[in-house]
Amino acid sequence: MSIRNSVPQQVEDVLALHRRGFLKSAGLLMASLGSWATEAAAQSATTSQGPGPYPILDFRQVDSWIVIHENNTATFYVGKTDPGQGTGTGFRQLMSDELDIAFDKTTCIMGSTDITVDQIGSGGSTAMERDSWPMRRVAAEARRVLLEMASTRLGVPVDQLTVNNAVITAKSDASKRVSYGELIAGKKFHVTLTGDSIYTVTGKAKTKTVPELKYTGQSLQRDDIPAKVDGTLKWGTGVKLPGMVHARNVKPPYACAKLAAIDESSVKSLPGFIKVINKGNYVAVVCEREEQAIRAARQLKTTWEKPATAPFPTSEKLFDYMRTAPSASPRPSAPAVVGNPDGAFSAAAKTIEAEYEIPFQGHTALGGAHALADPSNGQMTIYSNDMKTYGMRRCVATFLGMPADRVRVVYMAGPQGFGRSAAEDAACEAAWIARDLGRPVRMQWMRDEETAWDTKSPAFFVKMRGALDAAGRLSGYDYLARSCDLNHVGYNEPDTVLIAQLMGARRANPAAGSAAMPSDMYAIPNRKMVGEVVGLPALWETPLRTGNLRDPNGPQATFATESFIDEAAAAAQADPLEFRLNLLQAATGDDSGFRRARSIAVLKAAAKAYGWEPRPSPVRRGTGNILTGRGIAYTFRGLTMVAQIAEVEVNRQTGHVWAKRLVCAHDCGLVVNPDGLRYTVECGALYGLSRALHEEVRFNTEKVTSVDWFSHPTLRHADTPDRIDVVQVNGDPNPNRPDLPPYGAGEAVLKPMLAAIGNAIFDATGVRIRRVPFRPDRVLAALKAAKV
Amino acid sequence: MSKIDLKVNGRSLSVESEPATPLLYILRNEVGLEGPKFGCGLGQCGACTVLINGAAVRSCITPVSAVKGEITTLEGLAPQGKLHPLQQAWIDEQVPQCGFCQNGQILNAKVLLDKTPHPTNAQIRQAMNDTLCRCMSYYRVQTAIKRASKAMAAGSPVAEEGVVA
Ligand code: FES
Ligand code: FES
């Protein structure tokens, strides 16, 4: 299989176009994934769909990953998507380094299923940690092969050659030189790699060591930004195809409602009306123009029957329900036990207990789910911002009963969805309707629909108990987490995507969901930890569907554990930083990722950047209505360590909380792009702040009542801290290690933020609030109750 | 359907539309502009912002027939390919993540700076408060506004100690 044979003609034309553009202005921004997709889309608008089929590329071929052009430039094809954190630029940095080509002579194409290898797409902060490795190995192999070709061409042994910016020169005779373009242009590598999977695929070449990397480690500007700023980027929401029409869903007005009747005459005479689509409880309306479809969907008269029993409790009663609901974990997980927790509690000088509550929080991307499906030539092309395009392709194919190689997904820019766009609903809907009508169909979810019916991060109830010995040390620890996460919908799957549910699909065994365990390196000698999943009464056709929101349940668990450590520190009248450091230093053993040493390092780095002054909490600071406090929290995700410090102002009169300053010390190993990392960390910290201060899904016993930006609020400009410090602690305690790997950056950052804010509120006011979000009414009520 | 005349980014054109159709759909689907985005359709997020005679207007709740004046979209901010100082500042500060909200961020920032060339932090936060971002680009948006304000005062969009390329 080769790139050229498997790329449909019009995409190939686009690539040719793009290559010509490249020739003209090499050195400037060429094609980000967005501007490429733009051209692909523009091109598709004027030509019919290519003949297909669209098989998945062979990841064992160098040609599937790298194309070197006559003009000595390179295009990288990777199976990842970059929703906006700059990973595409990072891949170019790493691959340019391994290939030995100037960064500005490269471009990267991502995530379109028929022209890039299947690396799943994005998710789980895996871009650098896991998926950059095969890219690096293939680029290194391409370099090795080019050196061999040059050796033959120049008659000079490989070890007598050097490479600089894609030009190979004989060490002893500079006149003997040949460029990559001259060696390979217009031809293919025809080099087969080894390895059973995309994760292990490799050639014979070794990747470079860290000191040999040149672009990696530099703050190169992101290649997707100019087009996002000057308005030239084409988005998945904007693709236009000849003959396309617009669809809108008509959602059930209640969870688990049953459609009793549709009165089509209520919309038949509307301008542009084409069809009402209905199967089971799935209803949509199609019109010629977008505004017509919106109007028709609103105007369509439908009658629904309510379910016999309430699908869920109200949001106010949720935690009462979660406390007592039976565990739905398929096998009740045995508690993880360390030491002798019962013994520690009976010998304790003091015990403390606390319960924490984290509600459902929505993904609420700035734009709703959307897709354009083109059914021409008996195939299906989906234009989408889905972050896991390959999974979406399989989902659409199975859902429609089409061979997978007749379906492709063209990855386009869109509103960042943080997991929602890996379990998104619009593509199957658009494809279903497109096949029915035989015309390209654009589906777009409206705001109320998206906020109410998108996937949610699971609500958590966590009960904790701690034993303090006479010296104020935490000697015992009990953790029970209950996560409302049964039937977790993590990905696009043909039997759980919402349209399938509404049409009656029921998976025999709902996805088990999960309840996270604590993630810290504290040496607490006696611990008992249990994670249980509970389910709501209704699991299907309900807007309370859980999915992966960034680290899917880390922020919830860490809110509990890092609030609790703070409570223990306060009970021991110890400085919260020192208390944590003592717990970390109470053991000396470490793991291969140096997690203990690096935990200590990020806490110390955060404290230093903040100017932390040792004292126990709380200390009421400030006079009048504004009370000021500071809070610290720490955790890890995988091998990435994070410590956060927040300084807050709490208004006693209104309950309003403002995080005035944030410090985030972060260690994710090798830094590919320092400024890109800084921004990912900064935005992740603010996202955590948004969840700490604002976000909560509200519902009554019939439906979700969070339907817009007031009923599911988000962080705003006015909430922005005056100062955000990001400290990159990256490194590891082994100074001689030349191969420091990169670990996942983004998701870890969110985890400690909720607790850092809660701890700061406690420091400022002496009031411990164990329920997020810290909205003014909740904070004010807590302050009033404590007579602050 | 009636014929409605519009002036968009310096170009006069006429479109077929029901008078009540929100301007957003006309700009996106009939005029072919992608700067203004559909975020909420409720006037709450700012993603659909356009300028009409220099004022920020939420095109998702503005009937096309009610438009009196010249429309400028994000695409019209750099007419001769020369970036507006705000756009340059956005690149220098590397502001967008996904970028979906940035149309609204940039255009609302422009209205702010047109009225208040040297805004304080508090003025920036207040003026921008109803322009939402779910990637949380707020801090850099505010930094970029300050950078653009300086560059405009100096008369040219100079890149200062930005991120190096
Ligand atoms: S789309 Fe117009 S304000 Fe949100
Ligand atoms: S940059 Fe993504 S919504 Fe603002």
Side-chain angles (χ1 to χ4, degrees):
Chain A
M1 178 181 315
S2 75
I3 291 280
R4 199 162 271 277
N5 292 341
S6 63
V7 173
Q9 188 53 45
Q10 89 278 17
V11 175
E12 189 49 48
D13 291 347
V14 168
L15 293 177
L17 212 153
H18 148 68
R19 287 180 196 122
R20 281 203 299 280
F22 197 83
L23 267 168
K24 257 188 275 157
S25 51
L28 297 173
L29 160 77
M30 290 317 122
S32 65
L33 62 123
S35 46
W36 169 77
T38 301
E39 294 167 14
Q43 193 73 15
S44 300
T46 53
T47 58
S48 64
Q49 213 178 78
Y54 307 119
I56 287 289
L57 293 190
D58 182 356
F59 63 79
R60 285 186 200 82
Q61 291 301 317
V62 171
D63 294 308
S64 299
W65 300 79
I66 295 174
V67 172
I68 289 175
H69 312 292
E70 290 93 316
N71 63 348
N72 212 22
T73 60
T75 305
F76 303 133
Y77 294 83
V78 304
K80 298 289 291 179
T81 55
D82 178 5
Q85 297 183 45
T87 50
T89 302
F91 298 145
R92 279 178 61 202
Q93 290 177 261
L94 286 160
M95 291 180 81
S96 299
D97 268 332
E98 296 291 356
L99 186 60
D100 255 325
I101 187 168
F103 173 80
D104 61 8
K105 295 282 160 50
T106 66
T107 162
C108 182
I109 290 174
M110 292 196 258
S112 290
T113 59
D114 60 329
I115 57 168
T116 52
V117 293
D118 180 357
Q119 291 189 283
I120 296 175
S122 62
S125 296
T126 52
M128 297 303 149
E129 178 165 358
R130 187 186 64 198
D131 295 327
S132 70
W133 284 106
M135 303 175 196
R136 290 180 63 177
R137 289 193 294 266
V138 177
E141 179 66 1
R143 176 183 182 277
R144 188 192 67 77
V145 172
L146 287 159
L147 270 166
E148 275 188 357
M149 291 164 76
S151 169
T152 311
R153 166 95 63 115
L154 301 175
V156 177
V158 167
D159 62 1
Q160 295 302 308
L161 296 172
T162 63
V163 193
N164 188 20
N165 285 346
V167 176
I168 300 172
T169 313
K171 283 180 190 165
S172 57
D173 179 358
S175 69
K176 287 193 173 168
R177 51 190 284 146
V178 63
S179 73
Y180 286 180
E182 287 161 345
L183 284 169
I184 188 109
K187 298 190 300 273
K188 292 178 206 128
F189 281 94
H190 292 301
V191 170
T192 303
L193 304 155
T194 57
D196 294 341
S197 78
I198 196 124
Y199 303 121
T200 58
V201 69
T202 187
K204 291 180 199 145
K206 275 210 180 74
T207 53
K208 290 183 174 171
T209 60
V210 173
E212 293 172 292
L213 301 173
K214 193 161 88 182
Y215 299 109
T216 303
Q218 283 192 44
S219 288
L220 302 180
Q221 289 197 334
R222 265 170 51 200
D223 55 23
D224 56 320
I225 284 184
K228 289 176 175 174
V229 164
D230 66 18
T232 55
L233 185 61
K234 300 291 182 226
W235 298 74
T237 51
V239 185
K240 304 281 189 297
L241 297 177
M244 71 181 268
V245 294
H246 294 268
R248 286 297 185 279
N249 290 319
V250 178
K251 281 276 182 331
Y254 320 106
C256 312
K258 194 169 170 315
L259 182 68
I262 299 181
D263 175 7
E264 215 176 296
S265 68
S266 59
V267 293
K268 262 213 153 114
S269 57
L270 286 180
F273 172 77
I274 296 174
K275 192 169 180 180
V276 172
I277 305 287
N278 172 231
K279 184 176 174 190
N281 295 320
Y282 180 72
V283 183
V285 179
V286 190
C287 292
E288 294 289 346
R289 289 169 59 135
E290 185 162 21
E291 65 273 19
Q292 294 167 340
I294 294 169
R295 180 173 168 200
R298 281 198 195 121
Q299 203 165 309
L300 181 71
K301 281 211 182 93
T302 48
T303 319
W304 302 81
E305 285 163 15
K306 289 185 185 179
T309 54
F312 31 69
T314 64
S315 39
E316 286 68 35
K317 294 269 166 61
L318 174 66
F319 296 103
D320 296 342
Y321 172 85
M322 285 177 63
R323 275 179 175 81
T324 54
S327 167
S329 302
R331 296 173 302 274
S333 53
V337 177
V338 178
N340 175 6
D342 291 345
F345 279 98
S346 45
K350 196 173 191 176
T351 55
I352 54 170
E353 253 186 65
E355 294 179 351
Y356 303 91
E357 299 168 340
I358 303 92
F360 290 110
Q361 296 180 312
H363 283 76
T364 62
L366 197 72
H370 58 89
L372 173 67
D374 176 4
S376 51
N377 293 350
Q379 301 175 94
M380 197 60 73
T381 295
I382 310 280
Y383 298 86
S384 164
N385 72 324
D386 193 279
M387 58 200 268
K388 288 185 164 63
T389 43
Y390 306 89
M392 172 186 268
R393 169 180 176 267
R394 286 190 295 274
C395 176
V396 169
T398 311
F399 180 65
L400 297 182
M402 289 176 76
D405 67 2
R406 293 281 152 174
V407 178
R408 65 172 171 159
V409 180
V410 178
Y411 175 64
M412 310 230 11
Q416 186 158 221
F418 298 119
R420 162 60 167 155
S421 47
E424 77 87 77
D425 298 292
C428 280
E429 294 165 351
W432 177 268
I433 301 170
R435 188 175 59 175
D436 180 318
L437 296 179
R439 292 174 72 174
V441 171
R442 182 169 128 70
M443 169 59 77
Q444 169 76 56
W445 282 34
M446 301 300 282
R447 180 79 263 151
D448 55 344
E449 183 183 12
E450 182 73 19
T451 301
W453 286 83
D454 74 357
T455 45
K456 316 286 186 269
S457 79
F460 263 62
F461 163 74
V462 184
K463 183 172 177 148
M464 299 195 63
R465 224 154 55 97
L468 291 160
D469 65 17
R473 283 183 303 241
L474 194 56
S475 54
Y477 175 100
D478 231 352
Y479 170 92
L480 168 69
R482 309 200 97 200
S483 159
C484 198
D485 198 28
L486 188 65
N487 207 16
H488 183 97
V489 181
Y491 306 109
N492 292 307
E493 288 177 286
D495 54 350
T496 59
V497 67
L498 192 56
I499 183 175
Q501 292 191 30
L502 291 167
M503 289 177 172
R506 294 292 183 271
R507 179 179 277 195
N509 297 310
S514 60
M517 290 293 182
S519 41
D520 59 62
M521 292 297 286
Y522 298 137
I524 302 167
N526 307 292
R527 286 204 198 204
K528 182 167 141 202
M529 297 176 290
V530 183
E532 288 177 346
V533 171
V534 300
L536 291 170
L539 296 179
W540 303 99
E541 300 184 49
T542 158
L544 289 178
R545 309 178 283 159
T546 52
N548 298 328
L549 174 53
R550 305 195 93 168
D551 177 354
N553 47 29
Q556 298 93 313
T558 310
F559 171 57
T561 56
E562 279 296 290
S563 296
F564 188 75
I565 290 293
D566 229 64
E567 298 208 38
Q573 297 184 323
D575 171 66
L577 167 68
E578 211 172 277
F579 190 79
R580 285 176 171 81
L581 288 173
N582 286 340
L583 283 173
L584 289 167
Q585 285 158 348
T588 50
D590 212 334
D591 57 23
S592 58
F594 301 102
R595 268 193 293 209
R596 179 175 310 283
R598 293 164 64 229
S599 295
I600 294 166
V602 289
L603 273 166
K604 286 187 172 166
K608 183 164 173 234
Y610 178 76
W612 185 271
E613 164 207 329
R615 59 168 175 80
S617 286
V619 170
R620 174 94 71 87
R621 301 243 158 149
T623 48
N625 287 333
I626 302 295
L627 305 176
T628 305
R630 62 177 199 190
I632 190 165
Y634 130 86
T635 190
F636 61 79
R637 172 155 163 79
L639 284 165
T640 298
M641 311 290 128
V642 193
Q644 302 266 21
I645 296 176
E647 184 173 307
V648 302
E649 287 187 0
V650 183
N651 186 319
R652 272 203 301 173
Q653 216 58 33
T654 63
H656 179 260
V657 175
W658 177 46
K660 190 171 191 243
R661 186 175 171 203
L662 299 177
V663 174
C664 179
H666 186 268
D667 177 355
C668 61
L670 179 70
V671 180
V672 176
N673 185 315
D675 184 67
L677 174 62
R678 187 177 311 129
Y679 199 34
T680 294
V681 170
E682 184 184 303
C683 293
L686 291 180
Y687 199 101
L689 184 61
S690 186
R691 290 176 71 172
L693 295 181
H694 295 291
E695 300 186 33
E696 173 173 5
V697 179
R698 295 272 170 87
F699 40 95
N700 59 30
T701 57
E702 294 180 337
K703 61 175 184 247
V704 169
T705 54
S706 289
V707 289
D708 62 13
W709 291 115
F710 296 115
S711 45
H712 191 284
T714 175
L715 201 81
R716 288 169 179 259
H717 272 284
D719 297 306
T720 311
D722 266 347
R723 182 169 165 192
I724 304 175
D725 298 290
V726 174
V727 189
Q728 295 178 359
V729 185
N730 302 55
D732 68 25
N734 179 350
N736 301 318
R737 188 164 151 173
D739 60 343
L740 179 70
Y743 310 126
E747 294 184 352
V749 184
L750 272 79
K751 292 179 70 175
M753 184 53 79
L754 283 62
I757 300 293
N759 295 344
I761 294 172
F762 174 73
D763 186 57
T765 64
V767 178
R768 175 65 61 180
I769 306 177
R770 302 187 179 88
R771 162 91 153 84
V772 284
F774 305 118
R775 285 193 189 165
D777 51 348
R778 177 166 296 127
V779 174
L780 190 61
L783 297 182
K784 284 240 159 80
K787 301 202 168 27
V788 174
Chain B
M1 293 271 176
S2 35
K3 195 164 142 293
I4 293 172
D5 295 323
L6 296 173
K7 191 155 188 205
V8 185
N9 296 334
R11 200 156 58 94
S12 296
L13 45 92
S14 62
V15 293
E16 287 287 319
S17 172
E18 301 284 342
T21 299
L23 174 63
L24 174 65
Y25 303 113
I26 299 303
L27 292 176
R28 290 186 57 82
N29 299 334
E30 309 307 315
V31 186
L33 294 168
E34 289 199 53
K37 307 285 190 300
F38 172 77
C40 67
L42 305 167
Q44 294 178 359
C45 75
C48 63
T49 302
V50 299
L51 304 180
I52 300 183
N53 291 342
V57 169
R58 304 209 153 181
S59 65
C60 71
I61 49 167
T62 305
V64 62
S65 56
V67 175
K68 304 274 175 288
E70 272 200 43
I71 302 166
T72 307
T73 71
L74 183 63
E75 290 94 335
L77 222 50
Q80 272 84 49
K82 186 170 160 52
L83 294 180
H84 187 278
L86 275 162
Q87 292 171 310
Q88 187 58 50
W90 247 246
I91 293 174
D92 294 337
E93 293 292 339
Q94 296 278 287
V95 174
Q97 278 221 338
C98 79
F100 202 75
C101 71
Q102 298 297 335
N103 165 70
Q105 306 290 352
I106 293 171
L107 293 181
N108 282 286
K110 175 162 191 309
V111 173
L112 166 66
L113 291 188
D114 285 348
K115 259 194 280 185
T116 315
H118 302 288
T120 61
N121 279 350
Q123 285 171 321
I124 293 176
R125 286 183 183 141
Q126 200 199 352
M128 300 297 295
N129 202 38
D130 290 332
T131 307
L132 307 181
C133 174
R134 283 297 283 161
C135 299
M136 306 293 153
S137 65
Y138 299 121
Y139 193 70
R140 282 201 181 180
V141 167
Q142 295 175 17
T143 312
I145 291 174
K146 286 179 261 181
R147 176 190 276 261
S149 149
K150 274 194 214 152
M152 287 160 85
S156 71
V158 235
E160 287 155 45
E161 63 310 348
V163 181
V164 282

